[in-house]
Amino acid sequence: MSNLHLLNIHLKLEILSDLKDLLLRTKWKLKGLESQLQNDLKQLGNIRVYYRIRHVFSVGVNNTIDFIGEDGSLVIVDPMKHQKDGRKVFQFDRVFGPTATQDNVFKDTQPLIRSVMDGYNVCIFAYGQTRSGKTYTMSDSVVNRVDQLRTWGSII
């Protein structure tokens, strides 16, 4: 074997060793990022509260919604009480107003659905009066969209 050939092999072994070191450092960084992500998720909390306001279908019904904020705030006014006593402020993770579409709801809840597909436990609980739209919101926005995501390859 010539010296040139031995030198070539030696250089390739050095490059291989450097790549192995880089791979190990990258794995450690990835583990650190995964740990940081888990900590961030825990700090965010495990419960999210979304509020969907349905259209008022009855004629002559007073609207009690005074304000819907982009930050999840909601101000309700009780027309039977005076200004200060009749105004209640609530804070949610997200408020969907009467003009929100099923796609709006799904886009905000899509990360929860992805978490289920990743193996995490998730519970979506719909609460409201009879005929307030719980089944409509859940069935169209969650079940059909999961099938769509599978079809489009967004989850899998």
Side-chain angles (χ1 to χ4, degrees):
M1 245 192 248
S2 70
N3 286 341
L4 185 61
H5 186 66
L6 288 174
L7 182 61
N8 191 17
I9 292 173
H10 181 67
L11 287 174
K12 287 181 180 180
L13 287 174
E14 280 184 26
I15 291 171
L16 193 58
S17 177
D18 290 345
L19 287 174
K20 186 177 177 182
D21 289 342
L22 177 62
L23 179 62
L24 287 174
R25 285 193 312 267
T26 304
K27 281 184 178 181
W28 281 108
K29 284 182 183 178
L30 180 60
K31 284 189 182 265
L33 289 173
E34 286 176 346
S35 177
Q36 180 66 39
L37 178 61
Q38 289 299 322
N39 289 337
D40 289 348
L41 288 173
K42 287 178 184 177
Q43 286 178 355
L44 287 173
N46 295 328
I47 298 175
R48 307 281 185 277
V49 180
Y50 296 93
Y51 191 89
R52 186 170 194 188
I53 300 167
R54 187 175 171 195
H55 292 282
V56 177
F57 294 108
S58 302
V59 177
V61 173
N62 289 340
N63 188 2
T64 59
I65 300 164
D66 187 43
F67 175 77
I68 301 172
E70 290 292 321
D71 64 344
S73 60
L74 176 67
V75 179
I76 304 289
V77 175
D78 183 349
M80 303 300 286
K81 295 184 178 178
H82 292 64
Q83 286 287 8
K84 189 175 181 183
D85 294 333
R87 189 173 294 257
K88 302 269 187 204
V89 179
F90 298 93
Q91 188 66 43
F92 301 96
D93 289 295
R94 176 82 158 89
V95 176
F96 298 99
T99 59
T101 64
Q102 292 292 85
D103 284 333
N104 297 135
V105 174
F106 178 71
K107 284 176 185 170
D108 256 35
T109 57
Q110 185 177 3
L112 296 173
I113 296 163
R114 284 182 191 274
S115 293
V116 169
M117 302 306 283
D118 289 340
Y120 293 97
N121 293 327
V122 172
C123 174
I124 298 177
F125 177 75
Y127 177 80
Q129 292 178 314
T130 301
R131 302 194 45 83
S132 64
K134 300 175 298 295
T135 302
Y136 171 75
T137 297
M138 295 299 291
S139 64
D140 187 48
S141 127
V142 174
V143 176
N144 293 339
R145 298 305 199 285
V146 167
D147 289 336
Q148 288 174 2
L149 284 173
R150 281 191 184 125
T151 301
W152 297 333
S154 181
I155 286 183
I156 298 174

